[in-house]
Amino acid sequence: MRNPSQSIAGYRLTDHTRITELGAWFDAISPDGRLAGALRFDQGVIGLPGVRDRLVAAVVTDRRLAQGGVPGLVPVADVVAAGEQVWLLSGQGVSPALSELLVARAVDAPGAAAVLVETAQTLLTLHASHVAHGSLHPGTIVLSQDGAALMIERGLVDAVRGQAPSAERDVSAWAALARTLALGVSSQNAAALFERAAAAAAEQGLTAARDTLLGQRDALPGGQITRDRLAMEVRNRTTLEIGNNPIPARDEGEIFTLLHVPGSSRTPEDQHFNPTAQEQHFGPGVGTDPPHMGTTAERIWRAGRDQLPASRSGKRTGRVARARRRRTIMSAVLFAVVMAGALLAWFRLSGAPPLEITTIEVTPQKKTVGCVAETVVFGKVGTNGGAGDIVFEWTQGDTGAKYRNTQRATSDRTTYSLPFKWKLGGKSTTKLTATLTVLSPTKLKDKATFTYKC
């Protein structure tokens, strides 16, 4: 049930939320009465140096991809700041997540195959555009009203970590997703098919994995890849009240969009788009596009320039505008120099070195585990005493399932414990391996093996 007293930038927030690595997602209703979503970024994430600018750049890339016809992504409507909070507003619904349906055991084999085929195709399209998702897992896959698999948070985790997009990480994440779905279906033939697709992705890439699913669909119940069950589950879970009533007037405080560059006649969406570029080019005439090419803003600028009368007043107006632009540029440069000096002074005065991981060690609770419900694998990392976030991931060897988390490091400690609880069950004797990978700020890996005997 929605709470009409909560809203942000005209989006009515509901009580249905879920927590992700970036913050809290709220189901919402857009100003025109459609299903939507609102992500409130965690203060500890959005406050890190450079994160806000990198997030905005990732969103601008997303919007360009959408304009270019790339399917499979939930469109971003806006990114806004309200006081110290930063919100991402989606252009359509963001529920249910695939993770919610998996917990409810509401994903059948034909639907799971549809999710895998659609996500593989979306990733292939992204990679062809020289971008990657960066954090694919059941929590970043949502189902539309017709059961289609769409992705959220594309590029945002990479932006937070300040790392380059990686198609290889996407492929590994997709293979882990296939193995997770194999565990959740009742059909052994379908589970085996998903395992083969996961192996094909790891060995030959996503095209081979997708073709494996499409070419061996006879292994699925009914021999079909269909979203029918998924669409029904989505409809059963869609409880938001969508009406045409206007949103009540409410003072939300000062809210402004981050998708506009102050002092510029161009929004980020009008900038020359290159997903792999490290800098943005502003202003008409920049770049190598011929005069008849360019963005809408550039064409409008050129048309207006060509239509200006060659009069004294026009020349005077041009001189005034050029002087104003020079003052704006000089002010921006001065501000950047001051801020750079302030940050440099802060780092020097704080005396805290940048966080680095120096050691990593993984040990099992016992070398041999009997008939117990769970055991613990202990991870231990050493640091140089710097402060920051340790982003790490446990990989469960038997299923390939990955569990990512963050540990806050402070300057008064140099060692941290990162335990992993492994749930066990069944009658078997097998060797199990748990792998701990530190993803940031330094990439290190270690693993431990124990025997389950019951």
Side-chain angles (χ1 to χ4, degrees), residues 43 68 108 156 201 279 301 313 337 423 426 438-439:
Q43 294 287 88
D108 63 342
L156 300 187
E279 61 183 23
W301 185 90
S313 61
V337 170
K423 295 187 180 299
V438 175
L439 302 171

Side-chain angles (χ1 to χ4, degrees), residues 239-270:
T239 58
L240 298 184
E241 300 175 13
I242 305 177
N244 296 320
N245 297 327
I247 296 175
R250 175 175 171 266
D251 183 10
E252 298 174 342
E254 184 179 2
I255 296 178
F256 59 92
T257 180
L258 299 180
L259 298 184
H260 175 72
V261 181
S264 168
S265 62
R266 305 178 65 188
T267 66
E269 298 151 290
D270 289 324

Side-chain angles (χ1 to χ4, degrees), residues 273-408:
F273 174 60
N274 182 349
T276 60
Q278 295 300 312
E279 61 183 23
Q280 302 283 349
H281 298 279
F282 292 83
V286 176
T288 58
D289 289 341
H292 64 281
M293 299 290 286
T295 65
T296 302
E298 288 174 357
R299 291 195 295 272
I300 293 173
W301 185 90
R302 293 191 185 99
R305 175 195 62 187
D306 295 338
Q307 293 171 6
L308 284 176
S311 64
R312 290 175 178 241
S313 61
K315 292 180 180 178
R316 188 162 53 249
T317 302
R319 286 196 297 271
V320 171
R322 286 193 295 273
R324 185 181 297 115
R325 283 196 295 270
R326 283 195 295 271
R327 288 195 298 271
T328 300
I329 292 171
M330 290 302 295
S331 298
V333 170
L334 179 60
F335 177 77
V337 170
V338 171
M339 288 302 297
L343 285 172
L344 181 60
W346 182 85
F347 281 120
R348 285 179 174 174
L349 291 174
S350 67
L355 175 64
E356 292 182 7
I357 307 302
T358 57
T359 61
I360 183 171
E361 182 182 7
V362 177
T363 55
Q365 186 176 22
K366 295 181 179 180
K367 285 292 185 181
T368 301
V369 179
C371 298
V372 294
E374 68 178 23
T375 188
V376 179
V377 182
F378 296 99
K380 182 180 179 182
V381 296
T383 76
N384 64 338
D389 286 335
I390 303 171
V391 181
F392 63 95
E393 185 175 75
W394 281 101
T395 302
Q396 194 167 308
D398 58 338
T399 64
K402 297 179 183 294
Y403 304 90
R404 188 171 295 182
N405 210 333
T406 301
Q407 169 68 51
R408 184 67 180 172

Side-chain angles (χ1 to χ4, degrees), residues 142-176:
V142 299
L143 286 305
S144 67
Q145 292 293 298
D146 61 355
L150 305 175
M151 299 180 188
I152 58 174
E153 300 183 6
R154 191 222 64 84
L156 300 187
V157 171
D158 279 341
V160 168
R161 296 174 181 167
Q163 62 187 17
S166 168
E168 291 76 14
R169 279 192 283 114
D170 279 355
V171 174
S172 296
W174 187 93

